[in-house]
Amino acid sequence: MSITAQRLSSCDLSVYPIGQGGPLRLVIPGLVNHPEDWIPLQSKLGGTLLVVKNDIHEGEKTWDHWAGHDLGWQKHWRHELEKALAEVGGDDVITHSRGSEDFMRVRHPESLRRAIFLATPTAQQLKKKMNPCPTIGQTDDLNLYRIDQSMSAMCPEMPQDVYTLFVQRQLGLYGTRFKDVIRRESPTKLMIPVQEMRALIMGVRKNIFILIIPALDDPWHDDANTDTITAGQENVMVRRLKRGGHYSHVHPSDELVTFILENQAPERFRFCDAADSQHLTQSGII
C-alpha cells in the first residue's frame, strides 16, 4: 500500500491517511514510528487512520528549525498537534508510547470523546527480557545494528518476518538520524515520574474517555505503576494484552482489536456528535 502525506490547512503538520470512510481516528505516534506500521491495525479496525507525520524524524526539518520558534521544538510540536486535533476532529485519538504524554499536554476539541493509549510507558526503567525477542543478528550496517539493538527487546514474540520488515522500515525512514532522534528526544520522552503521569491523566477533560491498552510483555509496562496512575479515575479504563510488546499495533492480535472495538466511550461521554469531517473529504485528505 502506498501512503502519501497530506498537509493540514491549520498547522505546520501533515497526516498519512490509511483506509477510508468512518470512523476517523487520529494517530499521535511516539519516539520511533513509520506510517506503514499502522496498516495492519487499520486493516482489522476498518475506517480511516490519520497518522501524524513528524517532519524532524523524516529529515525534512531539524530540531534547530523548530527551536527557532518561541515555544522551543517540543512545545512547538505540541502546539501544532493541538491545532491538528481541532482541525481533524474525528471519533477517536490513538496514541502510541510517549504520544500519550503529548496528547495530555494539549487542549482537546470539544467533540473528542475517546482517547486510546497504546503502550504508554509506566516502568521507571526498561525491564529485562522476559520472553524470546526477534533480532536481525550480525550485520555490517551500523545503522541497522543500532535500530535492531533498540527495537529487539521491545518486540517480544513478534514473528521474525514481521520484525525484519518493521526494522527495515525504520532504517529506511531514519537512517543515520536514528541515533540523533534517540539522543535528543529520549531525555524528554522517557521515565516520566508516576505521579506526574497520574497528574497528566487527571488533567484531561473528564468528558474524554481514556482507554489504556498495555501489553504485559512490554518492557516499558509496569502493572503496579499503571494501577497507581489510574486508581479512582472514572473516565479511565485499563485493558491488558496477554501477549505482545511495545509495538502491538505492528502485529495486532484479535485481543487488541476487540479491546478497541468493544470498549467504546460510555453514553455519558457522548453527549455531542464528533466533529464534521466533510472538509477533510473535500480537501482530499480522506
Side-chain angles (χ1 to χ4, degrees), residues 222-236:
D222 185 285
D223 252 359
N225 287 346
T226 300
D227 290 340
T228 298
I229 290 166
T230 60
Q233 302 196 53
E234 294 183 356
N235 65 319
V236 179

Side-chain angles (χ1 to χ4, degrees), residues 19-251:
Q20 58 184 358
L24 179 66
R25 302 178 175 99
L26 184 72
V27 176
I28 301 176
L31 195 60
V32 177
N33 169 80
H34 189 289
E36 292 180 9
D37 295 343
W38 294 92
I39 293 175
L41 182 60
Q42 185 281 328
S43 68
K44 291 190 173 185
L45 289 178
T48 302
L49 296 183
L50 297 178
V51 182
V52 177
K53 179 186 178 199
N54 190 319
D55 289 338
I56 292 180
H57 288 192
E58 299 199 17
E60 296 178 10
K61 291 179 181 172
T62 66
W63 289 279
D64 291 338
H65 170 83
W66 273 4
H69 293 265
D70 294 338
L71 297 174
W73 73 264
Q74 183 160 269
K75 289 185 178 179
H76 178 67
W77 164 252
R78 291 171 179 163
H79 184 64
E80 297 305 295
L81 278 178
E82 188 172 295
K83 291 188 284 188
L85 279 165
E87 177 176 346
V88 170
D91 302 277
D92 298 321
V93 166
I94 299 178
T95 72
H96 178 250
S97 192
R98 276 301 167 209
S100 61
E101 183 195 351
D102 290 328
F103 171 81
M104 289 185 285
R105 291 186 184 275
V106 304
R107 290 177 297 180
H108 315 107
E110 290 296 324
S111 61
L112 184 63
R113 288 294 165 264
R114 186 172 69 150
I116 302 162
F117 292 177
L118 302 181
T120 298
T122 55
Q124 293 305 292
Q125 59 185 0
L126 193 68
K127 294 187 296 186
K128 294 182 179 179
K129 296 180 181 180
M130 301 298 291
N131 293 298
C133 298
T135 180
I136 295 298
Q138 292 185 341
T139 175
D140 294 330
D141 189 323
L142 179 59
N143 293 312
L144 179 60
Y145 173 79
R146 285 171 174 159
I147 294 173
D148 182 39
Q149 289 292 297
S150 296
M151 295 293 103
S152 177
M154 307 274 227
C155 304
E157 299 187 0
M158 183 182 287
Q160 182 65 49
D161 59 337
V162 176
Y163 176 76
T164 299
L165 290 174
F166 168 68
V167 171
Q168 289 175 344
R169 284 196 298 270
Q170 313 314 315
L171 176 65
L173 180 66
Y174 291 93
T176 58
R177 295 187 304 278
F178 184 82
K179 182 179 179 181
D180 274 348
V181 168
I182 300 300
R183 179 176 60 85
R184 286 176 175 263
E185 298 191 15
S186 288
T188 62
K189 295 285 189 182
L190 300 178
M191 300 179 68
I192 301 298
V194 170
Q195 292 304 323
E196 181 177 347
M197 186 67 74
R198 176 171 171 79
L200 285 172
I201 289 182
M202 291 179 67
V204 175
R205 286 190 294 110
K206 296 308 176 185
N207 56 336
I208 294 179
F209 176 63
I210 301 175
L211 176 61
I212 300 177
I213 307 180
L216 295 179
D217 291 338
D218 182 354
W220 280 114
H221 170 69
D222 185 285
D223 252 359
N225 287 346
T226 300
D227 290 340
T228 298
I229 290 166
T230 60
Q233 302 196 53
E234 294 183 356
N235 65 319
V236 179
M237 176 185 290
V238 181
R239 289 289 182 266
R240 293 172 170 87
L241 297 170
K242 296 182 180 67
R243 306 186 68 161
H246 198 66
Y247 290 88
S248 58
H249 60 285
V250 174
H251 186 62

